[in-house]
PDB file of all heavy atoms in Angstrom:
ATOM      1  N   PRO X 398     -17.733  -8.171 -14.434  1.00 98.00           N
ATOM      2  CA  PRO X 398     -16.613  -7.779 -15.304  1.00 98.00           C
ATOM      3  C   PRO X 398     -17.032  -6.818 -16.419  1.00 98.00           C
ATOM      4  O   PRO X 398     -16.240  -5.985 -16.839  1.00 98.00           O
ATOM      5  CB  PRO X 398     -16.134  -9.114 -15.903  1.00 98.00           C
ATOM      6  CG  PRO X 398     -16.737 -10.183 -15.077  1.00 98.00           C
ATOM      7  CD  PRO X 398     -17.945  -9.626 -14.397  1.00 98.00           C
ATOM      8  N   GLU X 399     -18.295  -6.934 -16.811  1.00 98.00           N
ATOM      9  CA  GLU X 399     -18.814  -6.038 -17.849  1.00 98.00           C
ATOM     10  C   GLU X 399     -18.748  -4.568 -17.380  1.00 98.00           C
ATOM     11  O   GLU X 399     -18.228  -3.696 -18.081  1.00 98.00           O
ATOM     12  CB  GLU X 399     -20.279  -6.470 -18.120  1.00 98.00           C
ATOM     13  CG  GLU X 399     -21.059  -5.621 -19.072  1.00 98.00           C
ATOM     14  CD  GLU X 399     -20.480  -5.692 -20.468  1.00 98.00           C
ATOM     15  OE1 GLU X 399     -20.070  -6.805 -20.851  1.00 98.00           O
ATOM     16  OE2 GLU X 399     -20.428  -4.637 -21.135  1.00 98.00           O
ATOM     17  N   LEU X 400     -19.242  -4.351 -16.168  1.00 98.00           N
ATOM     18  CA  LEU X 400     -19.205  -2.996 -15.604  1.00 98.00           C
ATOM     19  C   LEU X 400     -17.752  -2.565 -15.365  1.00 98.00           C
ATOM     20  O   LEU X 400     -17.369  -1.419 -15.665  1.00 98.00           O
ATOM     21  CB  LEU X 400     -19.996  -2.957 -14.289  1.00 98.00           C
ATOM     22  CG  LEU X 400     -19.965  -1.628 -13.529  1.00 98.00           C
ATOM     23  CD1 LEU X 400     -20.540  -0.491 -14.386  1.00 98.00           C
ATOM     24  CD2 LEU X 400     -20.750  -1.742 -12.212  1.00 98.00           C
ATOM     25  N   ALA X 401     -16.939  -3.492 -14.853  1.00 98.00           N
ATOM     26  CA  ALA X 401     -15.524  -3.159 -14.597  1.00 98.00           C
ATOM     27  C   ALA X 401     -14.856  -2.709 -15.893  1.00 98.00           C
ATOM     28  O   ALA X 401     -14.098  -1.726 -15.917  1.00 98.00           O
ATOM     29  CB  ALA X 401     -14.813  -4.378 -13.998  1.00 98.00           C
ATOM     30  N   ALA X 402     -15.156  -3.408 -16.982  1.00 98.00           N
ATOM     31  CA  ALA X 402     -14.555  -3.052 -18.270  1.00 98.00           C
ATOM     32  C   ALA X 402     -15.052  -1.687 -18.740  1.00 98.00           C
ATOM     33  O   ALA X 402     -14.270  -0.885 -19.275  1.00 98.00           O
ATOM     34  CB  ALA X 402     -14.892  -4.121 -19.309  1.00 98.00           C
ATOM     35  N   ARG X 403     -16.326  -1.410 -18.483  1.00 98.00           N
ATOM     36  CA  ARG X 403     -16.852  -0.099 -18.902  1.00 98.00           C
ATOM     37  C   ARG X 403     -16.163   1.018 -18.111  1.00 98.00           C
ATOM     38  O   ARG X 403     -15.899   2.097 -18.641  1.00 98.00           O
ATOM     39  CB  ARG X 403     -18.375  -0.040 -18.706  1.00 98.00           C
ATOM     40  CG  ARG X 403     -19.110  -0.699 -19.880  1.00 98.00           C
ATOM     41  CD  ARG X 403     -20.543  -0.211 -19.977  1.00 98.00           C
ATOM     42  NE  ARG X 403     -21.356  -0.786 -18.921  1.00 98.00           N
ATOM     43  CZ  ARG X 403     -22.149  -0.104 -18.092  1.00 98.00           C
ATOM     44  NH1 ARG X 403     -22.241   1.205 -18.195  1.00 98.00           N
ATOM     45  NH2 ARG X 403     -22.856  -0.726 -17.172  1.00 98.00           N
ATOM     46  N   ILE X 404     -15.882   0.741 -16.851  1.00 98.00           N
ATOM     47  CA  ILE X 404     -15.184   1.757 -16.033  1.00 98.00           C
ATOM     48  C   ILE X 404     -13.791   2.012 -16.611  1.00 98.00           C
ATOM     49  O   ILE X 404     -13.376   3.154 -16.793  1.00 98.00           O
ATOM     50  CB  ILE X 404     -15.106   1.305 -14.555  1.00 98.00           C
ATOM     51  CG1 ILE X 404     -16.506   1.334 -13.939  1.00 98.00           C
ATOM     52  CG2 ILE X 404     -14.140   2.192 -13.771  1.00 98.00           C
ATOM     53  CD1 ILE X 404     -16.576   0.745 -12.546  1.00 98.00           C
ATOM     54  N   VAL X 405     -13.082   0.924 -16.905  1.00 98.00           N
ATOM     55  CA  VAL X 405     -11.713   1.091 -17.424  1.00 98.00           C
ATOM     56  C   VAL X 405     -11.738   1.872 -18.736  1.00 98.00           C
ATOM     57  O   VAL X 405     -10.944   2.803 -18.937  1.00 98.00           O
ATOM     58  CB  VAL X 405     -11.014  -0.281 -17.604  1.00 98.00           C
ATOM     59  CG1 VAL X 405      -9.698  -0.137 -18.351  1.00 98.00           C
ATOM     60  CG2 VAL X 405     -10.780  -0.930 -16.244  1.00 98.00           C
ATOM     61  N   SER X 406     -12.679   1.540 -19.620  1.00 98.00           N
ATOM     62  CA  SER X 406     -12.640   2.292 -20.886  1.00 98.00           C
ATOM     63  C   SER X 406     -13.102   3.729 -20.720  1.00 98.00           C
ATOM     64  O   SER X 406     -12.543   4.632 -21.346  1.00 98.00           O
ATOM     65  CB  SER X 406     -13.338   1.583 -22.056  1.00 98.00           C
ATOM     66  OG  SER X 406     -14.457   0.916 -21.638  1.00 98.00           O
ATOM     67  N   ALA X 407     -14.076   3.966 -19.822  1.00 98.00           N
ATOM     68  CA  ALA X 407     -14.511   5.360 -19.614  1.00 98.00           C
ATOM     69  C   ALA X 407     -13.373   6.192 -19.015  1.00 98.00           C
ATOM     70  O   ALA X 407     -13.111   7.320 -19.444  1.00 98.00           O
ATOM     71  CB  ALA X 407     -15.726   5.386 -18.694  1.00 98.00           C
ATOM     72  N   ARG X 437     -10.234  -9.363 -19.751  1.00 98.00           N
ATOM     73  CA  ARG X 437     -11.258  -8.331 -20.014  1.00 98.00           C
ATOM     74  C   ARG X 437     -10.701  -6.940 -19.743  1.00 98.00           C
ATOM     75  O   ARG X 437     -10.968  -5.994 -20.477  1.00 98.00           O
ATOM     76  CB  ARG X 437     -12.488  -8.537 -19.107  1.00 98.00           C
ATOM     77  CG  ARG X 437     -13.236  -9.825 -19.307  1.00 98.00           C
ATOM     78  CD  ARG X 437     -14.087  -9.816 -20.557  1.00 98.00           C
ATOM     79  NE  ARG X 437     -15.179  -8.852 -20.550  1.00 98.00           N
ATOM     80  CZ  ARG X 437     -16.430  -9.127 -20.190  1.00 98.00           C
ATOM     81  NH1 ARG X 437     -16.756 -10.329 -19.763  1.00 98.00           N
ATOM     82  NH2 ARG X 437     -17.375  -8.204 -20.248  1.00 98.00           N
ATOM     83  N   MET X 438      -9.954  -6.824 -18.658  1.00 98.00           N
ATOM     84  CA  MET X 438      -9.424  -5.494 -18.297  1.00 98.00           C
ATOM     85  C   MET X 438      -8.384  -5.040 -19.320  1.00 98.00           C
ATOM     86  O   MET X 438      -8.329  -3.869 -19.681  1.00 98.00           O
ATOM     87  CB  MET X 438      -8.802  -5.513 -16.886  1.00 98.00           C
ATOM     88  CG  MET X 438      -9.779  -5.812 -15.770  1.00 98.00           C
ATOM     89  SD  MET X 438     -11.251  -4.768 -15.787  1.00 98.00           S
ATOM     90  CE  MET X 438     -12.478  -5.918 -16.356  1.00 98.00           C
ATOM     91  N   ALA X 441     -10.142  -3.822 -22.294  1.00 98.00           N
ATOM     92  CA  ALA X 441     -10.801  -2.527 -22.058  1.00 98.00           C
ATOM     93  C   ALA X 441      -9.794  -1.381 -22.005  1.00 98.00           C
ATOM     94  O   ALA X 441     -10.180  -0.214 -21.956  1.00 98.00           O
ATOM     95  CB  ALA X 441     -11.595  -2.590 -20.757  1.00 98.00           C
TER      96      ALA X 441
END
Side-chain angles (χ1 to χ4, degrees):
E399 175 65 39
L400 176 60
R403 278 201 286 129
I404 291 173
V405 170
S406 37
R437 297 284 295 265
M438 297 308 107

